[in-house]
Amino acid sequence: MNMIVPTATSTTPNGTTRPQVRIVIVGHVDHGKSTLVGRLLHETGSLPEGKLEMLKAVSARRGMPFEWSFLLDALQTERDQGITIDTTQIRFRTRSRDVVLIDAPGHAEFLRNMITGASQADGAVLIIDALEGVRDQTRRHGYLLHLLGVKQVAVVVNKMDRVDFGAARFQEISDEISAHLIGLGVTPTAVIPISARDGDGVAERTPRIEWYDGPTVVEALDALEPARPLESLALRLPVQAIYKFDDRRIVAGRIESGSLSAGDEIVIMPAGKIARIRSVEGWPVTPVHGSQGAGRSVGITLDRELFVERGDVIAHVGTSPRDTRRIRARIFWLHDEPLAPGASILVRLGTRETRANVVAIEKAVDPGELSSVETKAIGRNHVGEIDISLAQPIAADPYTDNPRTGRLVIEVNGRIAGGGLVLSVDAGQRAVPVDIVPVESALRPDERSARYRHGGAVVWLTGLPGSGKSTLARALERRLFSLGGSPVLLDGDTLRAGLNSDLGFSAADRTENIRRLAEVATHLSRNGHIAIVAAVSPSADDRAAARRIADTAFHEVYVATPAEVCESRDPKGHYAKARAGALKAFTGIGNDYQPPTASELAIDTSARSVADATDEIERMLAGSGVLFDELVDLAANI
Amino acid sequence: MDHLDALEAQSIYIFREAFARLKKLALLWSLGKDSNVMIWLARKAFFGRVPFPALHVDTGKKFPEMYAFRDRYGKEWELDLKVDSCPPLETIDPTLPPAARSAARKTEGLKLALAKYGFDGLIAGIRRDEEATRAKERVFSPRGTEGGWDVRDQPPEFWDQFNASPPPGAHLRIHPILHWTEADIWAYTQRENIPIIPLYLAKDGKRYRSLGDADITNPVASTASSIEEILIELDGTKVPERAGRALDHETEDAFERLRVAGYL
């Protein structure tokens, strides 16, 4: 999971490129990280001229033996205390790679610096003192690597000279740490016995470890892979800002995953507004042509004036992230004050910033001693799973779907205090239930029905595409209106352009589409209107759920026109496209339409006229008591 | 996307975050190769405009070529250029070695400019590979009210989420090219055709690798008379970039002391 330098190759003067990998070195304090880094730099011939001599002089002046770690611990304070305070980045080359080494401090106090360093790494070296073995901090670092998404971990067992290069001791440590890491879902790429001070196992396999036949540290680094491209995932463009420096209104941001081009139809989340990309703007040349992929910082213009703001996420229609106010996350906590339920926090996810509330804390644990489980609060340097409710809706993905839009940080008093991975987003639940106080209409249902001469109802027209649902729905709407009623048309396609524009055609999205239609229709019917829904709604389960929502107001009309007639009509050209393979997940071709078995009415529009069919629906509504018997001639009463 | 594209995209991201999250920004323009690349990247980020002032804290001791460059490109790039001078040497801590004391004038000049304009964010073109204390920097680096840098208490910074809420009276240093190397700077300068000060190119067997005040900066031995030759030279050299900068070498910790006090 690379963050700061998202690059896979580096420049050389003759134009060739070499893969570049970023490696973080982590482990318990005093297990020899800085020594290993110093030794690596020396062995790969990467030290600047005069550096070694300077360090020898510094050591001599202090009356100390030469220390490789002085190389990195360049700060005065560090030399005094003998610990590495902060992350240092340093570069060297192996045979096949350019390596950026991130030396992360091991002191528990400075775990935040270790995380700062490790979050930028493609791979990690976890160092263990052969004498001391696996310590709390070793396990803690292993856990954090897993949490940060660093999957390639090479383990080095250092200070083998202190245990007389004993193969048995090495094997013992190797088994323990391997079991720990594998338990976390991380398989070590190698476990290497070394002496960083003397150089055994670093660049060369010396006779003292002749019993070992695996790679040296340099060979293990050579085998690590650069970060994988994010372009294959769905488009995610978190909006950083809107610029209007001239007559252009440019939406600026970095493509976190996927790719985009001018002409693409996009959706702006969490609002769900739809637009097309008119152009990709650049400087000094504009517009920029061709596809722009993950990692690019771009500016786009849209084909219509929409309210877009920092924090929105732009995605392609049909593959957008969920919008939610409830997130479950696995986090690590770095702040002095433990994180407790009810805490008010600031959450940053992508470029969105929102206040939030910790609803519940589950599984708070010190990853150093995984046995002790507390659940009341998450202490400093501990990890846990939390449930948070957000003051504003946010567009997010579970991190398993998208590592870039599936992670967040938590800020306390203007400082990052923790961070973690989105385990799940709760799409259905928009707020904490206790916060919802429904407001009743000022009108009673009977006041409306007295005026409209009908009660509230949901008329749900289901059937294959082309069966005549929309035509019938419009005719019914016209008929009821001419009778003085209050019909409202809810056409599935129309609502997909707005309310439901964040939904695609997966089974889960279709279910959600139907749920929302049912909710809106039910709301209208409770307020005395007749909601006419025209939607394919192919799943019997989804329609059953809609009936549960609308309850007795629900009236299902099966528009049972034969499939071949529907296809011959093809009013939207969908059948033709689907036959040509250009329309995926189209209901009609194939057998995914589940016809109703107990609908209130079934109408075959190939066998009767629109007026005829409308009459029949009207009779059904009258028969069920929705329409009042005596239809009043409004004109006569004026 | 190649290596330079990736560096560029990351820097643009940082610029846009700074502009979105801080109220009063300025970009420190020292006229050297790094800050010229930085201005170029700012123009990329904001589609040709630099929407905040470029501040030159002038020691009055730069090379004439540098002043000529400033006057020409300040206009050509349509910068909102602010030039502020530094206090005299006599007012600077006399316990510092001579070159560091001279350089510390810039820190003091910077503090005066900060107080004068009320900037809450200063964008600076430092790089991790230049020097060991710079390697430890954050991208958004909080500074105390006195401009000091507390290396022991830096906030965590990960996944490109930056800490951008300086306490009242304090400011942030923003480092959009922290992740670049000297070779990257030259390769990008060449690719984008960014103008350079001719002092960087070899003349009579010497060239400047790093430009500071004329009295404390020395050229290094070199025959590289084009950017292409500079890149080849850098690929083979083990001489550190700041070898010609006297202030780095006076004492073991001279540079660190400067940086903790607020030097770039």
Side-chain angles (χ1 to χ4, degrees):
Chain A
M1 206 184 280
N2 57 316
M3 319 302 147
I4 299 288
V5 197
T7 175
T9 53
S10 69
T11 317
T12 55
N14 55 11
T16 60
T17 54
R18 292 157 54 86
Q20 188 187 69
V21 288
R22 281 170 302 277
I23 308 296
V24 64
I25 301 202
V26 300
H28 193 82
V29 64
D30 286 338
H31 281 197
K33 289 183 297 296
S34 298
T35 307
L36 174 60
V37 174
R39 171 61 74 171
L40 275 170
L41 290 177
H42 177 64
E43 301 272 351
T44 54
S46 311
L47 289 181
E49 225 161 64
K51 195 77 180 180
L52 203 58
E53 290 66 32
M54 192 198 105
L55 287 171
K56 280 178 182 161
V58 169
S59 310
R61 195 154 65 234
R62 284 161 194 271
M64 294 166 75
F66 180 78
E67 246 308 325
W68 284 107
S69 60
F70 280 174
L71 192 61
L72 292 191
D73 300 343
L75 289 175
Q76 180 85 30
T77 45
E78 292 179 340
R79 284 188 295 265
D80 290 345
Q81 294 181 8
I83 53 168
T84 306
I85 290 179
D86 202 352
T87 300
T88 292
Q89 302 211 351
I90 205 148
R91 288 158 200 264
F92 68 88
R93 290 176 165 199
T94 65
R95 195 170 36 79
S96 70
R97 305 248 188 287
D98 282 359
V99 180
V100 177
L101 258 187
I102 304 161
D103 175 40
H107 206 272
E109 187 98 3
F110 303 117
L111 203 65
R112 59 172 183 263
N113 298 330
M114 176 263 169
I115 287 168
T116 299
S119 73
Q120 306 161 32
D122 302 319
V125 173
L126 178 62
I127 194 164
I128 304 172
D129 184 319
L131 205 58
E132 290 198 4
V134 176
R135 299 286 301 270
D136 284 358
Q137 197 71 335
T138 317
R139 277 191 290 268
R140 205 170 274 142
H141 283 177
Y143 193 91
L144 286 170
L145 290 174
H146 150 72
L147 202 60
L148 289 162
V150 180
K151 294 264 181 270
Q152 307 183 79
V153 180
V155 177
V156 301
V157 180
N158 188 27
K159 307 189 190 180
M160 284 300 293
D161 48 314
R162 300 267 189 89
V163 295
D164 299 328
F165 293 88
R169 176 63 181 155
F170 170 75
Q171 199 55 48
E172 193 184 333
I173 294 172
S174 173
D175 290 348
E176 186 181 353
I177 191 64
S178 296
H180 175 69
L181 290 176
I182 289 166
L184 295 172
V186 178
T187 306
T189 55
V191 185
I192 310 162
I194 68 163
S195 166
R197 187 201 305 265
D198 304 337
D200 307 80
V202 177
E204 284 170 52
R205 244 178 309 266
T206 57
R208 299 200 285 188
I209 47 167
E210 57 175 1
W211 45 267
Y212 169 75
D213 57 3
T216 62
V217 178
V218 172
E219 284 165 355
L221 294 183
D222 238 357
L224 292 177
E225 292 298 319
R228 260 175 309 164
L230 291 157
E231 281 200 32
S232 53
L233 298 175
L235 169 68
R236 296 289 182 266
L237 171 61
V239 175
Q240 282 186 288
I242 318 295
Y243 299 135
K244 206 168 178 323
F245 297 121
D246 42 43
D247 53 355
R248 294 172 295 176
R249 190 164 162 273
I250 299 176
V251 180
R254 181 176 59 190
I255 302 171
E256 294 295 337
S257 61
S259 60
L260 59 79
S261 319
D264 287 2
E265 191 174 35
I266 51 113
V267 55
I268 297 150
M269 294 300 289
K273 292 168 217 167
I274 290 192
R276 262 180 209 287
I277 298 174
R278 186 166 56 197
S279 62
V280 180
E281 300 290 326
W283 182 88
V285 180
T286 200
V288 183
H289 294 291
S291 171
Q292 305 292 308
R296 293 256 181 203
S297 288
V298 297
I300 59 173
T301 62
L302 304 179
D303 69 342
R304 65 198 72 167
E305 288 266 325
L306 288 177
F307 180 69
V308 186
E309 61 181 339
R310 177 175 164 85
D312 287 347
V313 176
I314 289 175
H316 281 131
V317 170
T319 56
S320 69
R322 288 301 179 91
D323 68 300
T324 183
R325 286 196 177 188
R326 275 301 268 276
I327 282 180
R328 196 178 162 75
R330 179 181 299 139
I331 63 149
F332 46 87
W333 192 244
L334 300 164
H335 202 259
D336 296 340
E337 294 283 317
L339 183 67
S344 229
I345 51 176
L346 190 80
V347 167
R348 290 185 185 282
L349 199 159
T351 54
R352 173 71 80 207
E353 162 188 329
T354 174
R355 283 181 301 105
N357 191 268
V358 180
V359 178
I361 288 186
E362 290 153 48
K363 286 195 203 170
V365 57
D366 177 355
E369 19 181 322
L370 288 168
S371 53
S372 75
V373 177
E374 338 134 31
T375 49
K376 284 189 188 123
I378 303 175
R380 185 176 177 200
N381 296 341
H382 291 195
V383 300
E385 286 181 16
I386 62 172
D387 192 4
I388 42 184
S389 99
L390 308 167
Q392 285 180 293
I394 198 166
D397 293 292
Y399 87 101
T400 46
D401 291 354
N402 191 316
R404 308 302 288 251
T405 44
R407 62 197 191 196
L408 53 84
V409 298
I410 297 170
E411 216 177 271
V412 174
N413 296 333
R415 263 187 124 160
I416 291 172
L421 310 174
V422 175
L423 297 176
S424 63
V425 294
D426 193 341
Q429 205 162 2
R430 296 301 301 257
V432 193
V434 294
D435 288 344
I436 296 178
V437 184
V439 174
E440 297 278 311
S441 168
L443 307 176
R444 289 192 317 276
D446 59 332
E447 290 181 81
R448 291 189 205 262
S449 53
R451 173 174 295 178
Y452 301 142
R453 306 296 300 160
H454 63 65
V458 174
V459 178
W460 192 284
L461 301 166
T462 171
L464 288 170
S467 59
K469 298 181 300 300
S470 297
T471 308
L472 214 47
R474 286 161 53 88
L476 180 64
E477 185 185 28
R478 175 59 66 192
R479 171 76 59 85
L480 293 170
F481 185 69
S482 70
L483 297 173
S486 176
V488 181
L489 175 64
L490 296 175
D491 184 86
D493 276 10
T494 308
L495 292 177
R496 270 195 179 272
L499 175 70
N500 295 339
S501 60
D502 56 321
L503 300 176
F505 291 90
S506 66
D509 279 3
R510 287 186 146 177
T511 299
E512 172 65 4
N513 184 45
I514 297 306
R515 186 190 72 80
R516 291 187 199 172
L517 278 174
E519 286 285 0
V520 174
T522 304
H523 181 74
L524 290 170
S525 76
R526 284 195 187 129
N527 283 288
H529 308 281
I530 294 177
I532 306 166
V533 178
V536 178
S537 44
S539 155
D541 281 350
D542 290 353
R543 291 194 307 270
R547 187 184 286 273
R548 279 195 297 277
I549 293 169
D551 202 3
T552 54
F554 197 80
H555 300 80
E556 190 178 53
V557 177
Y558 175 32
V559 185
T561 311
E564 57 276 13
V565 177
C566 297
E567 183 164 5
S568 70
R569 288 176 179 165
D570 202 13
K572 295 172 181 170
H574 286 163
Y575 282 91
K577 263 195 206 167
R579 289 274 179 222
L583 201 59
K584 285 176 195 151
F586 176 71
T587 304
I589 307 286
N591 295 317
D592 55 351
Y593 184 80
Q594 300 167 336
T597 50
S599 60
E600 272 75 7
L601 199 62
I603 298 174
D604 178 353
T605 63
S606 66
R608 55 207 310 180
S609 72
V610 173
D612 222 341
T614 311
D615 285 346
E616 195 166 341
I617 299 174
E618 195 190 328
R619 276 197 296 278
M620 182 267 286
L621 290 173
S624 62
V626 173
L627 296 180
F628 299 149
D629 293 339
E630 307 148 28
L631 293 176
V632 180
D633 184 352
L634 283 178
N637 285 323
I638 292 170
Chain B
M1 193 157 85
D2 71 13
H3 176 63
L4 293 178
D5 291 336
L7 291 171
E8 178 191 79
Q10 177 67 10
S11 298
I12 290 173
Y13 182 82
I14 295 165
F15 264 116
R16 290 175 176 170
E17 282 301 287
F19 189 51
R21 296 192 57 197
L22 291 160
K23 286 188 196 75
K24 209 155 188 271
L25 279 176
L27 179 149
L28 289 170
W29 190 21
S30 69
L31 317 171
K33 60 188 190 298
D34 301 319
S35 58
N36 295 339
V37 162
M38 199 167 65
I39 289 180
W40 196 263
L41 290 165
R43 296 169 85 200
K44 285 231 179 188
F46 307 111
F47 303 94
R49 285 149 208 258
V50 181
F52 32 75
L55 177 66
H56 181 215
V57 180
D58 190 3
T59 54
K61 294 158 86 175
K62 301 287 172 195
F63 296 92
E65 290 90 338
M66 295 173 80
Y67 290 114
F69 189 92
R70 180 186 76 188
D71 296 342
R72 176 175 171 189
Y73 290 102
K75 276 198 200 79
E76 255 185 63
W77 293 344
E78 296 178 352
L79 299 177
D80 173 9
L81 178 63
K82 298 194 186 306
V83 177
D84 280 70
S85 53
C86 301
L89 190 65
E90 297 75 60
T91 62
I92 307 296
D93 179 4
T95 68
L96 283 168
R101 190 180 180 205
S102 179
R105 285 182 61 221
K106 201 166 154 187
T107 315
E108 293 307 313
L110 205 55
K111 281 185 197 171
L112 292 176
L114 272 167
K116 177 173 159 193
Y117 301 108
F119 296 125
D120 61 356
L122 278 180
I123 302 168
I126 65 164
R127 307 190 323 266
R128 284 205 179 94
D129 76 326
E130 282 179 286
E131 198 275 327
T133 68
R134 286 178 177 169
K136 292 169 187 273
E137 272 288 5
R138 301 288 199 248
V139 176
F140 277 47
S141 176
R143 289 301 200 271
T145 43
E146 290 297 304
W149 179 45
D150 187 354
V151 70
R152 291 153 177 272
D153 187 29
Q154 299 194 78
E157 180 173 81
F158 49 91
W159 297 338
D160 285 349
Q161 293 287 357
F162 307 120
N163 298 279
S165 312
H171 73 280
L172 285 165
R173 296 279 172 85
I174 295 127
H175 302 129
I177 58 166
L178 198 58
H179 53 295
W180 292 54
T181 65
E182 187 183 8
D184 294 333
I185 291 287
W186 282 119
Y188 189 73
T189 301
Q190 183 181 42
R191 184 180 95 169
E192 302 284 314
N193 261 318
I194 303 171
I196 61 165
I197 292 172
L199 294 170
Y200 286 116
L201 302 177
K203 224 172 111 183
D204 306 326
K206 280 177 187 271
R207 73 177 191 90
Y208 289 88
R209 255 178 91 178
S210 174
L211 286 175
D213 284 359
D215 57 344
I216 53 171
T217 309
N218 301 305
V220 296
S222 169
T223 56
S225 59
S226 68
I227 295 181
E228 204 165 11
E229 287 169 12
I230 289 178
L231 283 167
I232 291 165
E233 179 186 284
L234 289 179
D235 199 39
T237 188
K238 285 189 173 186
V239 177
E241 180 180 5
R242 293 180 63 93
R245 299 289 281 266
L247 69 94
D248 290 25
H249 314 291
E250 288 172 327
T251 62
E252 202 185 302
D253 62 347
F255 198 72
E256 180 193 340
R257 280 177 66 192
L258 278 171
R259 292 213 74 236
V260 167
Y263 190 77
L264 293 177

